[in-house]
Structure formats: C-alpha cells, structure tokens
Amino acid sequence: MIVALIIACEVAFWVLLAAGLAFRYVFRMPRLGLALLLCEPLLEVVLFVVSAIDLRNGAEPDWRHGLAAVYIGFTVGLGHSTVRWADARVAHRFAGGPPPARPPKYGRARAVHEWKVAGRWILAALVAVALLQAAAWYVGGDGEARSLRAWQLRMTWVIGINLVIAGSYTLFPKSGPGSGPKSGPDGGSDGGSEREPAKMS
C-alpha cells in the first residue's frame, strides 16, 4: 500500500503542477491555478500520516517506509524549485514572460550556482534522515529499524556527492574563453549546462 501511495503522490504532483500552470497561464485563471499549486504539500502530509498509521498498527518497518521518508524529504527539498522551474518556462511560452534564466558557465558565479543546487539536495537528504530517525525511534529496537538505517546511509552518500560536486567548482573553477564575447569580468556567462534539481520520479 505504501508503494502504491508513493506512486499516486508522484502522479498527483505532476497532475496538480500541470493543471495549476495551465489554469494560471493558459486559461488566465491565476487564483485557481495558485490554489492547485498550493495543494501540492498536502500530498506529502497524506503520505506521512498513512506511513505513521501503518507503523502504529504494528507493521514492521522496511524499505517501503524508508522510501516514503525519502520521497517526502526530496519533495521538501526539491519540490519548490521544480515548480519554479516549470513556472518560468510556462510563463515564457504562454504569457509572454522573460526567457528562463540559464546558469552561468564559469568562475565564481558557476560555483555559487552549484552550491545553491547542492544546498537543495542536501536539505532533501537531511529531511529524509530526520524522518527516518523519527521512525526508528518510534518503532524502537535496532533490529526492526535496520532497513531505515540503510536508507539513512544512502542519504549520507547523497550529501557527500553533492558536497564533492559543489566543492570541485570552488576549488577548480571552470575558466571561460578569455576573449569570448559573452564572458564577463567574473568569468560568468549567460548560458550553460544546468544541474537543476528535478523532482524524484
């Protein structure tokens, strides 16, 4: 049941996102569109409550409960940026909004961008770790919480990988072409490859 609910929440996230943006920009009903977008957090609340009830009713914690905690964490950390990413593109396409900003390519500006992205992923992982720890305390017993500890270990890898990626751009900044017409004084650029957080699918 938990896995089915996670899938349902993921599908509902994208349905609400598409519907909210459609009503906001295509049908020119911004209030209804905003209301649909504001319903997104309710999905995580439902998943959290159902998981807690399942554990309270005596279910042994396993990978499914760990996955639910990770899903909630990643939605908290990455959901807002995903909505903002989609909103900018739909506004540009259907409402005459400005072109979506692209991340800088080089220098300190790129490093700052990478740390912002890493911060969102790290926040997602930390929320997941906190929820997993709360579940472990709730059920008690190291043996019963073994699968939850395994998910926590995976989240530490997520944190470590993002720290390494962001740190590499700080210690070894990418240098742009010195005479390039788009290169700024700080090595920044108006375009580059994106490492934007995406909603976990």
PDB file of all heavy atoms in Angstrom, residues 3 6 61-71 74 124-133 135 145-159 200:
ATOM      1  N   VAL A   3       3.893   1.722  -1.242  1.00  0.00           N
ATOM      2  CA  VAL A   3       4.485   1.964  -2.558  1.00  0.00           C
ATOM      3  C   VAL A   3       3.440   2.523  -3.516  1.00  0.00           C
ATOM      4  O   VAL A   3       3.714   3.460  -4.284  1.00  0.00           O
ATOM      5  CB  VAL A   3       5.107   0.666  -3.114  1.00  0.00           C
ATOM      6  CG1 VAL A   3       5.602   0.889  -4.536  1.00  0.00           C
ATOM      7  CG2 VAL A   3       6.248   0.201  -2.229  1.00  0.00           C
ATOM      8  N   ILE A   6       2.945   6.129  -2.751  1.00  0.00           N
ATOM      9  CA  ILE A   6       4.056   6.947  -3.240  1.00  0.00           C
ATOM     10  C   ILE A   6       3.883   7.229  -4.727  1.00  0.00           C
ATOM     11  O   ILE A   6       4.053   8.365  -5.192  1.00  0.00           O
ATOM     12  CB  ILE A   6       5.397   6.251  -2.967  1.00  0.00           C
ATOM     13  CG1 ILE A   6       5.674   6.183  -1.460  1.00  0.00           C
ATOM     14  CG2 ILE A   6       6.540   6.989  -3.673  1.00  0.00           C
ATOM     15  CD1 ILE A   6       6.891   5.367  -1.099  1.00  0.00           C
ATOM     16  N   PRO A  61       8.896  -1.986  10.057  1.00  0.00           N
ATOM     17  CA  PRO A  61       9.488  -1.004   9.137  1.00  0.00           C
ATOM     18  C   PRO A  61      10.385  -1.694   8.112  1.00  0.00           C
ATOM     19  O   PRO A  61      11.231  -2.514   8.465  1.00  0.00           O
ATOM     20  CB  PRO A  61      10.285  -0.083  10.063  1.00  0.00           C
ATOM     21  CG  PRO A  61      10.549  -0.892  11.296  1.00  0.00           C
ATOM     22  CD  PRO A  61       9.349  -1.782  11.448  1.00  0.00           C
ATOM     23  N   ASP A  62      10.192  -1.389   6.867  1.00  0.00           N
ATOM     24  CA  ASP A  62      11.011  -1.977   5.824  1.00  0.00           C
ATOM     25  C   ASP A  62      11.356  -0.909   4.794  1.00  0.00           C
ATOM     26  O   ASP A  62      11.173   0.289   5.035  1.00  0.00           O
ATOM     27  CB  ASP A  62      10.302  -3.175   5.170  1.00  0.00           C
ATOM     28  CG  ASP A  62       8.932  -2.806   4.617  1.00  0.00           C
ATOM     29  OD1 ASP A  62       8.668  -1.604   4.398  1.00  0.00           O
ATOM     30  OD2 ASP A  62       8.109  -3.724   4.403  1.00  0.00           O
ATOM     31  N   TRP A  63      11.837  -1.345   3.628  1.00  0.00           N
ATOM     32  CA  TRP A  63      12.298  -0.397   2.613  1.00  0.00           C
ATOM     33  C   TRP A  63      11.178   0.512   2.137  1.00  0.00           C
ATOM     34  O   TRP A  63      11.434   1.640   1.704  1.00  0.00           O
ATOM     35  CB  TRP A  63      12.888  -1.159   1.433  1.00  0.00           C
ATOM     36  CG  TRP A  63      11.899  -2.005   0.675  1.00  0.00           C
ATOM     37  CD1 TRP A  63      11.558  -3.297   0.922  1.00  0.00           C
ATOM     38  CD2 TRP A  63      11.117  -1.584  -0.447  1.00  0.00           C
ATOM     39  NE1 TRP A  63      10.608  -3.722   0.029  1.00  0.00           N
ATOM     40  CE2 TRP A  63      10.322  -2.709  -0.827  1.00  0.00           C
ATOM     41  CE3 TRP A  63      11.007  -0.401  -1.172  1.00  0.00           C
ATOM     42  CZ2 TRP A  63       9.430  -2.647  -1.903  1.00  0.00           C
ATOM     43  CZ3 TRP A  63      10.116  -0.339  -2.240  1.00  0.00           C
ATOM     44  CH2 TRP A  63       9.347  -1.456  -2.598  1.00  0.00           C
ATOM     45  N   ARG A  64       9.935   0.062   2.219  1.00  0.00           N
ATOM     46  CA  ARG A  64       8.831   0.896   1.748  1.00  0.00           C
ATOM     47  C   ARG A  64       8.636   2.120   2.635  1.00  0.00           C
ATOM     48  O   ARG A  64       8.389   3.229   2.139  1.00  0.00           O
ATOM     49  CB  ARG A  64       7.549   0.060   1.683  1.00  0.00           C
ATOM     50  CG  ARG A  64       7.562  -0.990   0.592  1.00  0.00           C
ATOM     51  CD  ARG A  64       6.461  -1.989   0.747  1.00  0.00           C
ATOM     52  NE  ARG A  64       6.651  -2.819   1.949  1.00  0.00           N
ATOM     53  CZ  ARG A  64       5.914  -3.880   2.248  1.00  0.00           C
ATOM     54  NH1 ARG A  64       4.907  -4.225   1.455  1.00  0.00           N
ATOM     55  NH2 ARG A  64       6.156  -4.577   3.330  1.00  0.00           N
ATOM     56  N   HIS A  65       8.729   1.924   3.960  1.00  0.00           N
ATOM     57  CA  HIS A  65       8.615   3.074   4.856  1.00  0.00           C
ATOM     58  C   HIS A  65       9.818   4.006   4.679  1.00  0.00           C
ATOM     59  O   HIS A  65       9.679   5.233   4.748  1.00  0.00           O
ATOM     60  CB  HIS A  65       8.520   2.594   6.303  1.00  0.00           C
ATOM     61  CG  HIS A  65       7.318   1.736   6.566  1.00  0.00           C
ATOM     62  ND1 HIS A  65       7.370   0.373   6.522  1.00  0.00           N
ATOM     63  CD2 HIS A  65       6.029   2.060   6.876  1.00  0.00           C
ATOM     64  CE1 HIS A  65       6.169  -0.124   6.785  1.00  0.00           C
ATOM     65  NE2 HIS A  65       5.343   0.883   7.002  1.00  0.00           N
ATOM     66  N   GLY A  66      10.999   3.423   4.450  1.00  0.00           N
ATOM     67  CA  GLY A  66      12.176   4.252   4.186  1.00  0.00           C
ATOM     68  C   GLY A  66      12.018   5.051   2.911  1.00  0.00           C
ATOM     69  O   GLY A  66      12.365   6.239   2.855  1.00  0.00           O
ATOM     70  N   LEU A  67      11.469   4.408   1.874  1.00  0.00           N
ATOM     71  CA  LEU A  67      11.251   5.109   0.610  1.00  0.00           C
ATOM     72  C   LEU A  67      10.257   6.249   0.783  1.00  0.00           C
ATOM     73  O   LEU A  67      10.420   7.320   0.190  1.00  0.00           O
ATOM     74  CB  LEU A  67      10.752   4.115  -0.441  1.00  0.00           C
ATOM     75  CG  LEU A  67      10.480   4.686  -1.833  1.00  0.00           C
ATOM     76  CD1 LEU A  67      11.753   5.249  -2.449  1.00  0.00           C
ATOM     77  CD2 LEU A  67       9.890   3.607  -2.741  1.00  0.00           C
ATOM     78  N   ALA A  68       9.233   6.039   1.597  1.00  0.00           N
ATOM     79  CA  ALA A  68       8.257   7.103   1.844  1.00  0.00           C
ATOM     80  C   ALA A  68       8.926   8.309   2.500  1.00  0.00           C
ATOM     81  O   ALA A  68       8.675   9.463   2.118  1.00  0.00           O
ATOM     82  CB  ALA A  68       7.120   6.581   2.718  1.00  0.00           C
ATOM     83  N   ALA A  69       9.800   8.051   3.491  1.00  0.00           N
ATOM     84  CA  ALA A  69      10.501   9.150   4.154  1.00  0.00           C
ATOM     85  C   ALA A  69      11.415   9.884   3.177  1.00  0.00           C
ATOM     86  O   ALA A  69      11.489  11.121   3.184  1.00  0.00           O
ATOM     87  CB  ALA A  69      11.313   8.603   5.329  1.00  0.00           C
ATOM     88  N   VAL A  70      12.100   9.132   2.322  1.00  0.00           N
ATOM     89  CA  VAL A  70      12.986   9.752   1.335  1.00  0.00           C
ATOM     90  C   VAL A  70      12.180  10.564   0.325  1.00  0.00           C
ATOM     91  O   VAL A  70      12.574  11.679  -0.051  1.00  0.00           O
ATOM     92  CB  VAL A  70      13.819   8.666   0.624  1.00  0.00           C
ATOM     93  CG1 VAL A  70      14.578   9.251  -0.566  1.00  0.00           C
ATOM     94  CG2 VAL A  70      14.796   8.028   1.609  1.00  0.00           C
ATOM     95  N   TYR A  71      11.048  10.044  -0.092  1.00  0.00           N
ATOM     96  CA  TYR A  71      10.202  10.760  -1.046  1.00  0.00           C
ATOM     97  C   TYR A  71       9.751  12.096  -0.449  1.00  0.00           C
ATOM     98  O   TYR A  71       9.806  13.135  -1.120  1.00  0.00           O
ATOM     99  CB  TYR A  71       8.986   9.913  -1.417  1.00  0.00           C
ATOM    100  CG  TYR A  71       8.057  10.600  -2.375  1.00  0.00           C
ATOM    101  CD1 TYR A  71       8.259  10.519  -3.747  1.00  0.00           C
ATOM    102  CD2 TYR A  71       6.979  11.359  -1.910  1.00  0.00           C
ATOM    103  CE1 TYR A  71       7.421  11.170  -4.631  1.00  0.00           C
ATOM    104  CE2 TYR A  71       6.137  12.008  -2.794  1.00  0.00           C
ATOM    105  CZ  TYR A  71       6.360  11.912  -4.151  1.00  0.00           C
ATOM    106  OH  TYR A  71       5.525  12.571  -5.015  1.00  0.00           O
ATOM    107  N   PHE A  74      12.744  14.536  -0.312  1.00  0.00           N
ATOM    108  CA  PHE A  74      13.129  15.090  -1.599  1.00  0.00           C
ATOM    109  C   PHE A  74      12.072  16.046  -2.135  1.00  0.00           C
ATOM    110  O   PHE A  74      12.401  17.004  -2.839  1.00  0.00           O
ATOM    111  CB  PHE A  74      13.408  13.965  -2.591  1.00  0.00           C
ATOM    112  CG  PHE A  74      14.824  13.467  -2.514  1.00  0.00           C
ATOM    113  CD1 PHE A  74      15.289  12.844  -1.376  1.00  0.00           C
ATOM    114  CD2 PHE A  74      15.699  13.655  -3.572  1.00  0.00           C
ATOM    115  CE1 PHE A  74      16.595  12.401  -1.286  1.00  0.00           C
ATOM    116  CE2 PHE A  74      17.009  13.221  -3.494  1.00  0.00           C
ATOM    117  CZ  PHE A  74      17.464  12.590  -2.345  1.00  0.00           C
ATOM    118  N   ALA A 124      17.084  18.143   1.156  1.00  0.00           N
ATOM    119  CA  ALA A 124      16.220  16.985   0.915  1.00  0.00           C
ATOM    120  C   ALA A 124      16.720  15.772   1.682  1.00  0.00           C
ATOM    121  O   ALA A 124      15.954  15.058   2.346  1.00  0.00           O
ATOM    122  CB  ALA A 124      16.155  16.683  -0.579  1.00  0.00           C
ATOM    123  N   ALA A 125      18.026  15.521   1.612  1.00  0.00           N
ATOM    124  CA  ALA A 125      18.602  14.363   2.292  1.00  0.00           C
ATOM    125  C   ALA A 125      18.492  14.491   3.811  1.00  0.00           C
ATOM    126  O   ALA A 125      18.203  13.515   4.511  1.00  0.00           O
ATOM    127  CB  ALA A 125      20.060  14.188   1.885  1.00  0.00           C
ATOM    128  N   LEU A 126      18.709  15.699   4.341  1.00  0.00           N
ATOM    129  CA  LEU A 126      18.637  15.896   5.794  1.00  0.00           C
ATOM    130  C   LEU A 126      17.206  15.714   6.303  1.00  0.00           C
ATOM    131  O   LEU A 126      17.006  15.143   7.389  1.00  0.00           O
ATOM    132  CB  LEU A 126      19.153  17.293   6.156  1.00  0.00           C
ATOM    133  CG  LEU A 126      20.656  17.504   6.010  1.00  0.00           C
ATOM    134  CD1 LEU A 126      21.020  18.958   6.296  1.00  0.00           C
ATOM    135  CD2 LEU A 126      21.433  16.564   6.937  1.00  0.00           C
ATOM    136  N   VAL A 127      16.225  16.204   5.554  1.00  0.00           N
ATOM    137  CA  VAL A 127      14.834  15.989   5.958  1.00  0.00           C
ATOM    138  C   VAL A 127      14.520  14.499   5.970  1.00  0.00           C
ATOM    139  O   VAL A 127      13.866  13.992   6.890  1.00  0.00           O
ATOM    140  CB  VAL A 127      13.878  16.743   5.021  1.00  0.00           C
ATOM    141  CG1 VAL A 127      12.426  16.361   5.293  1.00  0.00           C
ATOM    142  CG2 VAL A 127      14.051  18.254   5.179  1.00  0.00           C
ATOM    143  N   ALA A 128      14.992  13.789   4.944  1.00  0.00           N
ATOM    144  CA  ALA A 128      14.771  12.343   4.892  1.00  0.00           C
ATOM    145  C   ALA A 128      15.435  11.643   6.075  1.00  0.00           C
ATOM    146  O   ALA A 128      14.833  10.764   6.704  1.00  0.00           O
ATOM    147  CB  ALA A 128      15.308  11.783   3.573  1.00  0.00           C
ATOM    148  N   VAL A 129      16.659  12.025   6.391  1.00  0.00           N
ATOM    149  CA  VAL A 129      17.365  11.425   7.527  1.00  0.00           C
ATOM    150  C   VAL A 129      16.602  11.668   8.823  1.00  0.00           C
ATOM    151  O   VAL A 129      16.469  10.775   9.665  1.00  0.00           O
ATOM    152  CB  VAL A 129      18.799  11.989   7.623  1.00  0.00           C
ATOM    153  CG1 VAL A 129      19.441  11.619   8.958  1.00  0.00           C
ATOM    154  CG2 VAL A 129      19.657  11.456   6.484  1.00  0.00           C
ATOM    155  N   ALA A 130      16.092  12.898   8.996  1.00  0.00           N
ATOM    156  CA  ALA A 130      15.338  13.222  10.214  1.00  0.00           C
ATOM    157  C   ALA A 130      14.066  12.386  10.315  1.00  0.00           C
ATOM    158  O   ALA A 130      13.737  11.869  11.394  1.00  0.00           O
ATOM    159  CB  ALA A 130      15.011  14.710  10.242  1.00  0.00           C
ATOM    160  N   LEU A 131      13.356  12.235   9.208  1.00  0.00           N
ATOM    161  CA  LEU A 131      12.134  11.426   9.223  1.00  0.00           C
ATOM    162  C   LEU A 131      12.447   9.956   9.481  1.00  0.00           C
ATOM    163  O   LEU A 131      11.717   9.272  10.216  1.00  0.00           O
ATOM    164  CB  LEU A 131      11.396  11.580   7.890  1.00  0.00           C
ATOM    165  CG  LEU A 131      10.759  12.947   7.624  1.00  0.00           C
ATOM    166  CD1 LEU A 131      10.181  12.991   6.219  1.00  0.00           C
ATOM    167  CD2 LEU A 131       9.672  13.247   8.656  1.00  0.00           C
ATOM    168  N   LEU A 132      13.527   9.470   8.890  1.00  0.00           N
ATOM    169  CA  LEU A 132      13.934   8.086   9.127  1.00  0.00           C
ATOM    170  C   LEU A 132      14.316   7.865  10.580  1.00  0.00           C
ATOM    171  O   LEU A 132      13.987   6.825  11.176  1.00  0.00           O
ATOM    172  CB  LEU A 132      15.106   7.738   8.209  1.00  0.00           C
ATOM    173  CG  LEU A 132      14.772   7.627   6.716  1.00  0.00           C
ATOM    174  CD1 LEU A 132      16.046   7.682   5.886  1.00  0.00           C
ATOM    175  CD2 LEU A 132      14.000   6.341   6.432  1.00  0.00           C
ATOM    176  N   GLN A 133      15.003   8.857  11.176  1.00  0.00           N
ATOM    177  CA  GLN A 133      15.376   8.733  12.580  1.00  0.00           C
ATOM    178  C   GLN A 133      14.138   8.760  13.469  1.00  0.00           C
ATOM    179  O   GLN A 133      14.051   8.005  14.450  1.00  0.00           O
ATOM    180  CB  GLN A 133      16.330   9.865  12.958  1.00  0.00           C
ATOM    181  CG  GLN A 133      16.900   9.763  14.367  1.00  0.00           C
ATOM    182  CD  GLN A 133      17.693   8.484  14.565  1.00  0.00           C
ATOM    183  OE1 GLN A 133      18.534   8.143  13.743  1.00  0.00           O
ATOM    184  NE2 GLN A 133      17.421   7.770  15.642  1.00  0.00           N
ATOM    185  N   ALA A 135      11.195   7.726  12.665  1.00  0.00           N
ATOM    186  CA  ALA A 135      10.541   6.428  12.516  1.00  0.00           C
ATOM    187  C   ALA A 135      11.269   5.352  13.305  1.00  0.00           C
ATOM    188  O   ALA A 135      10.652   4.483  13.926  1.00  0.00           O
ATOM    189  CB  ALA A 135      10.480   6.041  11.037  1.00  0.00           C
ATOM    190  N   ALA A 145      14.701  -1.521  13.006  1.00  0.00           N
ATOM    191  CA  ALA A 145      14.975  -0.293  12.261  1.00  0.00           C
ATOM    192  C   ALA A 145      16.143  -0.450  11.294  1.00  0.00           C
ATOM    193  O   ALA A 145      16.628   0.540  10.756  1.00  0.00           O
ATOM    194  CB  ALA A 145      15.269   0.848  13.240  1.00  0.00           C
ATOM    195  N   ARG A 146      16.581  -1.666  11.040  1.00  0.00           N
ATOM    196  CA  ARG A 146      17.759  -1.868  10.197  1.00  0.00           C
ATOM    197  C   ARG A 146      17.555  -1.302   8.793  1.00  0.00           C
ATOM    198  O   ARG A 146      18.448  -0.661   8.231  1.00  0.00           O
ATOM    199  CB  ARG A 146      18.088  -3.357  10.115  1.00  0.00           C
ATOM    200  CG  ARG A 146      19.408  -3.651   9.406  1.00  0.00           C
ATOM    201  CD  ARG A 146      19.714  -5.138   9.399  1.00  0.00           C
ATOM    202  NE  ARG A 146      19.874  -5.635  10.753  1.00  0.00           N
ATOM    203  CZ  ARG A 146      19.052  -6.525  11.333  1.00  0.00           C
ATOM    204  NH1 ARG A 146      17.988  -6.980  10.664  1.00  0.00           N
ATOM    205  NH2 ARG A 146      19.255  -6.944  12.558  1.00  0.00           N
ATOM    206  N   SER A 147      16.395  -1.530   8.208  1.00  0.00           N
ATOM    207  CA  SER A 147      16.159  -1.029   6.853  1.00  0.00           C
ATOM    208  C   SER A 147      16.125   0.501   6.822  1.00  0.00           C
ATOM    209  O   SER A 147      16.539   1.116   5.837  1.00  0.00           O
ATOM    210  CB  SER A 147      14.847  -1.590   6.301  1.00  0.00           C
ATOM    211  OG  SER A 147      13.746  -1.165   7.093  1.00  0.00           O
ATOM    212  N   LEU A 148      15.636   1.113   7.908  1.00  0.00           N
ATOM    213  CA  LEU A 148      15.623   2.569   7.980  1.00  0.00           C
ATOM    214  C   LEU A 148      17.044   3.114   8.068  1.00  0.00           C
ATOM    215  O   LEU A 148      17.365   4.150   7.458  1.00  0.00           O
ATOM    216  CB  LEU A 148      14.806   3.031   9.186  1.00  0.00           C
ATOM    217  CG  LEU A 148      13.344   2.554   9.234  1.00  0.00           C
ATOM    218  CD1 LEU A 148      12.670   3.054  10.504  1.00  0.00           C
ATOM    219  CD2 LEU A 148      12.574   3.041   8.005  1.00  0.00           C
ATOM    220  N   ARG A 149      17.915   2.423   8.816  1.00  0.00           N
ATOM    221  CA  ARG A 149      19.314   2.840   8.904  1.00  0.00           C
ATOM    222  C   ARG A 149      19.993   2.749   7.537  1.00  0.00           C
ATOM    223  O   ARG A 149      20.849   3.579   7.202  1.00  0.00           O
ATOM    224  CB  ARG A 149      20.064   1.955   9.903  1.00  0.00           C
ATOM    225  CG  ARG A 149      19.493   1.927  11.303  1.00  0.00           C
ATOM    226  CD  ARG A 149      19.570   3.267  11.991  1.00  0.00           C
ATOM    227  NE  ARG A 149      19.105   3.193  13.364  1.00  0.00           N
ATOM    228  CZ  ARG A 149      18.806   4.243  14.107  1.00  0.00           C
ATOM    229  NH1 ARG A 149      18.928   5.465  13.604  1.00  0.00           N
ATOM    230  NH2 ARG A 149      18.391   4.100  15.350  1.00  0.00           N
ATOM    231  N   ALA A 150      19.623   1.744   6.759  1.00  0.00           N
ATOM    232  CA  ALA A 150      20.203   1.597   5.426  1.00  0.00           C
ATOM    233  C   ALA A 150      19.850   2.788   4.542  1.00  0.00           C
ATOM    234  O   ALA A 150      20.685   3.289   3.777  1.00  0.00           O
ATOM    235  CB  ALA A 150      19.725   0.292   4.792  1.00  0.00           C
ATOM    236  N   TRP A 151      18.606   3.265   4.649  1.00  0.00           N
ATOM    237  CA  TRP A 151      18.215   4.453   3.889  1.00  0.00           C
ATOM    238  C   TRP A 151      18.977   5.687   4.363  1.00  0.00           C
ATOM    239  O   TRP A 151      19.345   6.552   3.559  1.00  0.00           O
ATOM    240  CB  TRP A 151      16.715   4.684   4.013  1.00  0.00           C
ATOM    241  CG  TRP A 151      15.893   3.893   3.059  1.00  0.00           C
ATOM    242  CD1 TRP A 151      15.084   2.832   3.343  1.00  0.00           C
ATOM    243  CD2 TRP A 151      15.782   4.082   1.649  1.00  0.00           C
ATOM    244  NE1 TRP A 151      14.484   2.354   2.209  1.00  0.00           N
ATOM    245  CE2 TRP A 151      14.889   3.101   1.149  1.00  0.00           C
ATOM    246  CE3 TRP A 151      16.352   4.988   0.751  1.00  0.00           C
ATOM    247  CZ2 TRP A 151      14.560   3.002  -0.195  1.00  0.00           C
ATOM    248  CZ3 TRP A 151      16.021   4.896  -0.594  1.00  0.00           C
ATOM    249  CH2 TRP A 151      15.137   3.917  -1.052  1.00  0.00           C
ATOM    250  N   GLN A 152      19.206   5.782   5.675  1.00  0.00           N
ATOM    251  CA  GLN A 152      19.987   6.907   6.186  1.00  0.00           C
ATOM    252  C   GLN A 152      21.395   6.914   5.603  1.00  0.00           C
ATOM    253  O   GLN A 152      21.944   7.971   5.272  1.00  0.00           O
ATOM    254  CB  GLN A 152      20.042   6.860   7.711  1.00  0.00           C
ATOM    255  CG  GLN A 152      18.750   7.278   8.394  1.00  0.00           C
ATOM    256  CD  GLN A 152      18.871   7.275   9.905  1.00  0.00           C
ATOM    257  OE1 GLN A 152      19.465   6.369  10.486  1.00  0.00           O
ATOM    258  NE2 GLN A 152      18.330   8.292  10.540  1.00  0.00           N
ATOM    259  N   LEU A 153      21.995   5.730   5.475  1.00  0.00           N
ATOM    260  CA  LEU A 153      23.322   5.642   4.891  1.00  0.00           C
ATOM    261  C   LEU A 153      23.316   6.123   3.442  1.00  0.00           C
ATOM    262  O   LEU A 153      24.233   6.832   3.002  1.00  0.00           O
ATOM    263  CB  LEU A 153      23.828   4.199   4.972  1.00  0.00           C
ATOM    264  CG  LEU A 153      25.227   3.941   4.391  1.00  0.00           C
ATOM    265  CD1 LEU A 153      26.268   4.773   5.121  1.00  0.00           C
ATOM    266  CD2 LEU A 153      25.574   2.455   4.473  1.00  0.00           C
ATOM    267  N   ARG A 154      22.281   5.767   2.708  1.00  0.00           N
ATOM    268  CA  ARG A 154      22.180   6.230   1.328  1.00  0.00           C
ATOM    269  C   ARG A 154      22.087   7.755   1.266  1.00  0.00           C
ATOM    270  O   ARG A 154      22.639   8.391   0.359  1.00  0.00           O
ATOM    271  CB  ARG A 154      20.968   5.611   0.643  1.00  0.00           C
ATOM    272  CG  ARG A 154      21.057   4.097   0.490  1.00  0.00           C
ATOM    273  CD  ARG A 154      19.865   3.546  -0.282  1.00  0.00           C
ATOM    274  NE  ARG A 154      19.896   2.095  -0.363  1.00  0.00           N
ATOM    275  CZ  ARG A 154      19.155   1.281   0.378  1.00  0.00           C
ATOM    276  NH1 ARG A 154      18.300   1.792   1.267  1.00  0.00           N
ATOM    277  NH2 ARG A 154      19.252  -0.017   0.245  1.00  0.00           N
ATOM    278  N   MET A 155      21.376   8.337   2.219  1.00  0.00           N
ATOM    279  CA  MET A 155      21.241   9.790   2.229  1.00  0.00           C
ATOM    280  C   MET A 155      22.572  10.481   2.545  1.00  0.00           C
ATOM    281  O   MET A 155      22.841  11.583   2.053  1.00  0.00           O
ATOM    282  CB  MET A 155      20.175  10.220   3.243  1.00  0.00           C
ATOM    283  CG  MET A 155      18.752   9.801   2.856  1.00  0.00           C
ATOM    284  SD  MET A 155      18.223  10.446   1.239  1.00  0.00           S
ATOM    285  CE  MET A 155      18.528   9.002   0.193  1.00  0.00           C
ATOM    286  N   THR A 156      23.402   9.857   3.372  1.00  0.00           N
ATOM    287  CA  THR A 156      24.729  10.444   3.622  1.00  0.00           C
ATOM    288  C   THR A 156      25.564  10.444   2.347  1.00  0.00           C
ATOM    289  O   THR A 156      26.361  11.358   2.119  1.00  0.00           O
ATOM    290  CB  THR A 156      25.469   9.691   4.737  1.00  0.00           C
ATOM    291  OG1 THR A 156      25.657   8.324   4.355  1.00  0.00           O
ATOM    292  CG2 THR A 156      24.684   9.736   6.039  1.00  0.00           C
ATOM    293  N   TRP A 157      25.371   9.440   1.496  1.00  0.00           N
ATOM    294  CA  TRP A 157      26.055   9.420   0.204  1.00  0.00           C
ATOM    295  C   TRP A 157      25.566  10.572  -0.672  1.00  0.00           C
ATOM    296  O   TRP A 157      26.362  11.205  -1.378  1.00  0.00           O
ATOM    297  CB  TRP A 157      25.830   8.084  -0.497  1.00  0.00           C
ATOM    298  CG  TRP A 157      26.784   7.020  -0.059  1.00  0.00           C
ATOM    299  CD1 TRP A 157      26.548   6.016   0.835  1.00  0.00           C
ATOM    300  CD2 TRP A 157      28.138   6.846  -0.490  1.00  0.00           C
ATOM    301  NE1 TRP A 157      27.656   5.233   0.994  1.00  0.00           N
ATOM    302  CE2 TRP A 157      28.647   5.715   0.189  1.00  0.00           C
ATOM    303  CE3 TRP A 157      28.958   7.525  -1.381  1.00  0.00           C
ATOM    304  CZ2 TRP A 157      29.952   5.269   0.000  1.00  0.00           C
ATOM    305  CZ3 TRP A 157      30.255   7.088  -1.568  1.00  0.00           C
ATOM    306  CH2 TRP A 157      30.744   5.967  -0.884  1.00  0.00           C
ATOM    307  N   VAL A 158      24.263  10.827  -0.649  1.00  0.00           N
ATOM    308  CA  VAL A 158      23.722  11.944  -1.423  1.00  0.00           C
ATOM    309  C   VAL A 158      24.353  13.254  -0.967  1.00  0.00           C
ATOM    310  O   VAL A 158      24.762  14.097  -1.790  1.00  0.00           O
ATOM    311  CB  VAL A 158      22.183  12.006  -1.284  1.00  0.00           C
ATOM    312  CG1 VAL A 158      21.629  13.293  -1.899  1.00  0.00           C
ATOM    313  CG2 VAL A 158      21.536  10.785  -1.936  1.00  0.00           C
ATOM    314  N   ILE A 159      24.449  13.432   0.345  1.00  0.00           N
ATOM    315  CA  ILE A 159      25.066  14.653   0.886  1.00  0.00           C
ATOM    316  C   ILE A 159      26.521  14.747   0.459  1.00  0.00           C
ATOM    317  O   ILE A 159      26.988  15.794  -0.012  1.00  0.00           O
ATOM    318  CB  ILE A 159      24.942  14.670   2.423  1.00  0.00           C
ATOM    319  CG1 ILE A 159      23.470  14.796   2.825  1.00  0.00           C
ATOM    320  CG2 ILE A 159      25.763  15.818   3.012  1.00  0.00           C
ATOM    321  CD1 ILE A 159      23.230  14.627   4.316  1.00  0.00           C
ATOM    322  N   MET A 200      11.947  13.921  -7.770  1.00  0.00           N
ATOM    323  CA  MET A 200      12.218  12.498  -7.880  1.00  0.00           C
ATOM    324  C   MET A 200      11.076  11.784  -8.563  1.00  0.00           C
ATOM    325  O   MET A 200       9.932  11.966  -8.217  1.00  0.00           O
ATOM    326  CB  MET A 200      12.422  11.886  -6.487  1.00  0.00           C
ATOM    327  CG  MET A 200      12.850  10.426  -6.522  1.00  0.00           C
ATOM    328  SD  MET A 200      13.110   9.812  -4.861  1.00  0.00           S
ATOM    329  CE  MET A 200      11.439   9.831  -4.228  1.00  0.00           C
TER     330      MET A 200
END
